Amino acid sequence: MNNKRLLVEGWRGISHSFAMVNQHQLLAWMDMRGLSLSHRDLPMYQPYWNSVDQSAGFDSQTAARLASLAGPDGGAVDAVYRINFPAALSPSLRPGTPQFTFIVTEYGLKPNYLCKTLTDLGALTRDGNAVITPSSWSRDRLVDFGVDAARLQVVPHGVCRQTFFPMAADERRALRRDTGFANEHFVFSNVGIASWHKGIDQLLVAFARVRRRHAHARLVLKNHRALYNTNISDYFHAVNELHPGLLSTEVMTSILLIDDNMDQEQLRKLYLCTDCYVSPYRAEGFNLPVLEAMACGTPVIVTAGGATDDYCFEPLAVRVPSALRNTEDHLLRGGRYLDIDGDALIEAMSACLLQGGRRLSGAAWESTLSKMSWHRAAQLALDFMFPAEQAQAIRAGVGSAGVHVAAGPRTDEAAAVALPTWAAEPEAPARLQPERPSAQLVQLASGAGPAQAHAAAAPDCYNPISYSIIKRRWLLQAFDGIERVQINHSQLHQDMFVLAVLNGLTGGTYLEIGGHEPVFINNTYLLESTFNWTGVSIELGSEYVQRHHNMRRNACVCADATQVDYEALLRDAGLGPVVDYLSIDVDPPEVTLAALKAIPHDKVRFRVITFEHDYSSGGAAVRQQSRDYLSSLGYRLVVNDVAWGNVVVEDWWVCPELTDAAVVERLTCVDGQAHEHDKYIYGKYLTGSGRLALPSRVGGQVAQAAPL
């Protein structure tokens, strides 16, 4: 039989979960006979991702092997497997060639999970196409949102047991000692990103209560600023606001924070130092760190009823009971999440601590892991992509049977928590060390990635770092009606800035040039939906205009923003001569500037303007020209170079005679430096005194938290 030709399109070289899954599957497929494999590197989702700063952490030999995989030769292939974000059909897909698209979801299928060019969800499951997802939970959520269940296959992730494996008891004690943990310390850990669906806030609350009872408890967390541009500090502040006094000095000095990237070996060492890995998630697509920790022999505590039900079986894991809830509309209409029993979580953590440093082993543990290898997962994917008689020819010495995936209906109340009886005896205690030195994870330099960084390109959409009610007290400038805001929608908090300048104005007006998505990362949706603003948007993309018509009350005009008769447009929309907000963002920046100049500024004044000059994308000249132009019109620059991570994007302006001078002065931040939008908008908690002292971060070290 001729080799089957499989083209994989995705990411290599970085540590994002999609890239890690892709790379592990590629390594497995490269070992398989009867498969001709090629790989096309797709643009990174975030423009700053690269294989140096966000290295995948493979050893040099493995990284070189991945980098050596050839690209497509232009010939026909039997199937395309596409694993990146957001989901889209391959532009190189030929008629009759099926595409298998990897999609994973936590709450449900958010609009930004699909590329803006993919307007028909059904295209992913028609004409031989199909969707692959890694868990029963993710499958159920996709079906909830309309994905054809008949063309949707669960292919679970795997674990590399050559990388993640246990360590002898004496070696583990030496590792913990060298790392800085005393023998009496009981170490909990979690390496998930700082996101609500990961339940980091719930873990902090539970650990704080456990630590009050057990002085030798420790918690290790991982920050992910380099990859996701998120900061775990929000969750420390949130817990401190909701539970005053809970994060005491004793608790904070027992929490350790890793701030650097970790390679695979360093991650294994963390799991080995850990006595119990705790993941009290609200929603997960798979939760790979749980499986990796189990492979290292580390006991785990997880939320019952979710993705980990597929591979976390008793007595190998503690599954904490939870209730199935509907997500709030501001998060995702129609989504689902798990509300964990907080008291049961504390009980489970305390019980595991009292049992001491036990490790997983035995027949049940071995049987579970044997069904969760990457080769097994890769073979299951091939069995789905190709007819069975053809897939039989593609083997790597492993069976063709798929791994076990738990099935059956879910109930609102998951099974009660049960403490496992670990198969191995507890390790013998060594001499206690009364001093508690700072814990320093050894050798935290980034691991080697592929030989070269893959090219970065602008993503189709961004995940905003959004406002939530727990951040209300941290706003640099509060405003009337703030209690009505559950979440913001702008990419850079532009909507919150406008409301701050105008003190929560109800019934305002806007002109939006460059509407793009009607809700997600949209600058005017919050103003329209929550504060009853009227206005008009201009958008060149007809598909976005149609979405506006379907999802928004106010008008959206399909037009070239540089050719619009603005005087007639504003008159027909009932706007002017004073409009409260001008949002202007058209690509490329030269067109944005041209659109700005096309407005008859002698006929209309704007109280607030957010102008996207895209300095980091070649907009240096446009930035200066726009500043000269707006200054000549009498506008005042309030915030220069608003940034998303290290990407400098916008300037924010006001009309001095139409805004409150005291408020504007408080909001002004013009100093020639870039200003990350979230750090600016929440300036009160970032710069105020007497706030919560966060765990220290010292380069590649795990350091103790500073006292309150």
Side-chain angles (χ1 to χ4, degrees), residues 133-140 152-157 285-286 306-313 319 368 371-372 376-377 380 401-410:
T133 198
S135 70
S136 301
W137 171 271
S138 181
R139 175 200 62 202
D140 294 347
L152 174 60
Q153 178 67 30
V154 174
V155 176
H157 297 333
F286 184 82
T308 52
D309 279 8
D310 287 359
Y311 57 90
C312 284
F313 308 112
R319 299 196 295 192
T368 297
K371 297 173 183 177
M372 301 300 294
R376 199 75 176 271
L380 183 61
V403 301
H404 171 73
V405 176
R410 299 187 182 278

Side-chain angles (χ1 to χ4, degrees), residues 360-487:
L360 297 179
S361 65
W365 172 75
E366 182 63 42
S367 176
T368 297
L369 293 178
S370 68
K371 297 173 183 177
M372 301 300 294
S373 72
W374 282 112
H375 274 81
R376 199 75 176 271
Q379 186 62 62
L380 183 61
L382 291 181
D383 289 342
F384 181 57
M385 293 180 193
F386 303 117
E389 66 274 10
Q390 296 176 346
Q392 287 292 329
I394 308 172
R395 291 290 177 239
V398 297
S400 61
V403 301
H404 171 73
V405 176
R410 299 187 182 278
T411 61
D412 281 352
E413 295 296 334
V417 63
L419 183 69
T421 302
W422 309 120
E425 290 299 316
E427 298 175 4
R431 180 177 62 85
L432 297 181
Q433 302 178 18
E435 297 84 9
R436 179 178 50 76
S438 298
Q440 299 180 351
L441 288 182
V442 295
Q443 299 175 347
L444 284 183
S446 295
Q452 62 183 32
H454 301 297
D460 291 306
C461 54
Y462 297 101
N463 277 324
I465 302 175
S466 298
Y467 169 83
S468 64
I469 57 174
I470 63 175
K471 300 179 182 179
R472 182 176 300 167
R473 296 182 182 180
W474 310 338
L475 288 169
L476 177 62
Q477 178 68 37
F479 50 83
D480 289 348
I482 182 62
E483 68 280 356
R484 305 204 304 268
V485 180
Q486 300 297 312
I487 191 172

Side-chain angles (χ1 to χ4, degrees), residues 8-28:
V8 180
E9 298 182 333
W11 302 327
R12 289 184 289 182
I14 64 171
S15 57
H16 185 276
S17 60
F18 279 48
M20 296 304 295
V21 172
N22 184 36
Q23 291 166 110
H24 281 296
Q25 290 177 331
L26 289 174
L27 290 168

Side-chain angles (χ1 to χ4, degrees), residues 300-304 313-320 348 352 417-420 422:
V300 299
I301 296 174
V302 297
T303 305
F313 308 112
E314 297 175 359
L316 298 179
V318 177
R319 299 196 295 192
V320 181
C352 288
V417 63
L419 183 69
W422 309 120

Side-chain angles (χ1 to χ4, degrees), residues 133-189:
T133 198
S135 70
S136 301
W137 171 271
S138 181
R139 175 200 62 202
D140 294 347
R141 303 289 74 75
L142 291 173
V143 171
D144 288 345
F145 279 77
V147 176
D148 183 0
R151 300 295 296 162
L152 174 60
Q153 178 67 30
V154 174
V155 176
H157 297 333
V159 62
C160 180
R161 299 190 69 185
Q162 289 73 42
T163 301
F164 299 101
F165 56 93
M167 181 179 283
D170 56 344
E171 293 179 304
R172 181 171 176 267
R173 281 194 295 269
L175 173 65
R176 282 168 58 96
R177 182 180 61 249
D178 293 343
T179 303
F181 292 112
N183 186 70
E184 74 271 18
H185 290 158
F186 190 95
V187 181
F188 298 100
S189 71

